[in-house]
Amino acid sequence: MKSSTAVISLLSAAAPLASAWGDLGHQAIAYVAQDFLSSETKSWAQDILSDTSTSYLANYATWADTFKYTSAGSFSKPYHYIDANDNPPSSCSVDYDRDCDGGGCVVAAISNYTGIMQSDSSSTDQNQALKFLIHFFGDIHQPLHDEALEVGGNDIDVKYSGSSTNLHHIWDTNMPEQYAGGYSLSDARAWATELTQSIKSGDYSDQSDDWLDGMDIDDPKDSAMTWASDSNSYVCTSVFSESQSQIEKDMDLAGDYYDQALPVIQVQFAKAGYRLGAWLNLIATGSTS
Ligand SMILES: *[C@@H]1O[C@H](CO)[C@@H](O)[C@H](O)[C@H]1NC(C)=O
Ligand SMILES: [Zn+2]
């Protein structure tokens, strides 16, 4: 994520690592996806991953964040985000030609690894491609992974419950962990169960059909652009919204800011899992469910 000078007062000298939804978020999203796989897709995925456990997708949800720090995996670092060079909070947008630097970004990566899953590539390549997809569906739904400003918020120092951190990190990790009250695999499973319930018969049941609008397995790039644009819109309406414009350097965001952000985190986890499930169903069977 490129630096920008638009919010100079918030600049810091620190250069923290760009991460992604923490383990908790990626695992919760993978569990939601598991809940929506057809039995045929489930067997297909378990076969590719050589895992028949009850967390057969969730077990690989964070693999890509480890792999990117290895010498074999460093090529994949830019694949975890797209650097939207927009102008929040007044205008948010993602433009593939402007923002997918040199053709390496999360939108291109989702397209690439979908293509690998659809081809008759080796089982090793399929295994890696599936692990990438599980992870990148999470990343693309984190609003600050669809934003260039201040390195996706990594360069904005804030506090959270008294600890020094940055805006990107609280979206990835601190705020999700505050809600879940932990970060174990079982915390992720419990959260996913709530989200799946909301999608099937709760708060999200009316909108979840719309979450598949723009999804076309024959056009992975445009499909992923739909998700990136959707996520990026929250950069204007929530992350840096006028009502959130109280963010100042080193401000503690564990109070009102968290309260306003939580519904966005919840719905983005739900969408990520639901879309990942439908996408894998499409690859494996040609149908979303
Ligand atoms: C596509 O996947 C191959 C295999 O992992 C990788 O070498 C290449 O960098 C990928 N490109 C993108 C844009 O994801
Ligand atoms: Zn990531």
Side-chain angles (χ1 to χ4, degrees):
M1 298 172 217
K2 284 179 223 123
S3 246
S4 154
T5 49
V7 187
I8 289 169
S9 62
L10 299 172
L11 269 175
S12 81
L17 293 173
S19 60
W21 292 125
D23 291 5
L24 173 70
H26 281 288
Q27 290 163 350
I29 288 164
Y31 276 128
V32 172
Q34 285 185 205
D35 293 342
F36 289 97
L37 293 194
S38 69
S39 55
E40 193 181 341
T41 308
K42 177 181 173 181
S43 311
W44 167 87
Q46 290 188 332
D47 189 45
I48 292 169
L49 296 167
S50 302
D51 188 335
T52 53
S53 74
T54 54
S55 38
Y56 59 96
L57 295 185
N59 285 339
Y60 308 97
T62 61
W63 166 83
D65 274 339
T66 309
F67 184 61
K68 73 182 175 192
Y69 295 117
T70 66
S71 52
S74 61
F75 75 92
S76 61
K77 273 188 193 163
Y79 299 170
H80 294 247
Y81 54 84
I82 183 165
D83 258 339
N85 285 282
D86 52 358
N87 189 25
S90 56
S91 100
C92 275
S93 64
V94 188
D95 180 302
Y96 187 84
D97 294 332
R98 182 191 65 189
D99 303 325
C100 190
D101 198 17
C105 67
V106 68
V107 171
I110 286 175
S111 178
N112 183 39
Y113 290 109
T114 298
I116 291 172
M117 298 301 310
Q118 291 170 315
S119 69
D120 47 349
S121 50
S122 71
S123 54
T124 311
D125 289 349
Q126 297 251 339
N127 174 282
Q128 197 178 70
L130 182 50
K131 290 188 292 192
F132 272 130
L133 285 180
I134 296 165
H135 183 84
F136 292 151
F137 269 72
D139 282 346
I140 202 171
H141 286 83
Q142 207 280 47
L144 284 169
H145 279 247
D146 305 276
E147 179 52 50
L149 185 68
E150 299 289 2
V151 198
N154 274 288
D155 283 356
I156 299 175
D157 284 347
V158 300
K159 285 202 160 50
Y160 204 82
S161 301
S163 299
S164 296
T165 179
N166 67 70
L167 191 67
H168 187 99
H169 191 267
I170 74 163
W171 277 86
D172 275 348
T173 304
N174 304 71
M175 296 196 289
E177 287 180 3
Q178 179 168 346
Y179 176 75
Y183 50 84
S184 68
L185 204 56
S186 60
D187 293 317
R189 179 62 268 184
W191 194 348
T193 299
E194 287 175 21
L195 294 169
T196 295
Q197 172 70 28
S198 297
I199 294 168
K200 287 188 170 159
S201 54
D203 289 352
Y204 300 142
S205 60
D206 288 344
Q207 36 176 306
S208 52
D209 278 353
D210 298 344
W211 295 349
L212 303 188
D213 286 355
M215 180 179 284
D216 177 359
I217 193 66
D218 296 324
D219 197 343
K221 187 184 121 184
D222 274 7
S223 301
M225 279 300 291
T226 307
W227 312 325
S229 299
D230 180 24
S231 303
N232 163 270
S233 70
Y234 292 105
V235 174
C236 282
T237 60
S238 177
V239 180
F240 295 115
S241 72
E242 298 303 339
S243 61
Q244 301 280 44
S245 64
Q246 74 275 20
I247 304 176
E248 284 166 25
K249 188 166 158 45
D250 291 333
M251 177 171 272
D252 199 308
L253 299 183
D256 292 347
Y257 187 89
Y258 166 79
D259 291 340
Q260 293 184 57
L262 182 63
V264 176
I265 293 169
Q266 296 266 29
V267 79
Q268 287 302 95
F269 279 17
K271 285 180 199 165
Y274 191 67
R275 286 170 174 159
L276 174 60
W279 195 249
L280 297 181
N281 283 330
L282 279 169
I283 296 174
T285 71
S287 153
T288 54
S289 59

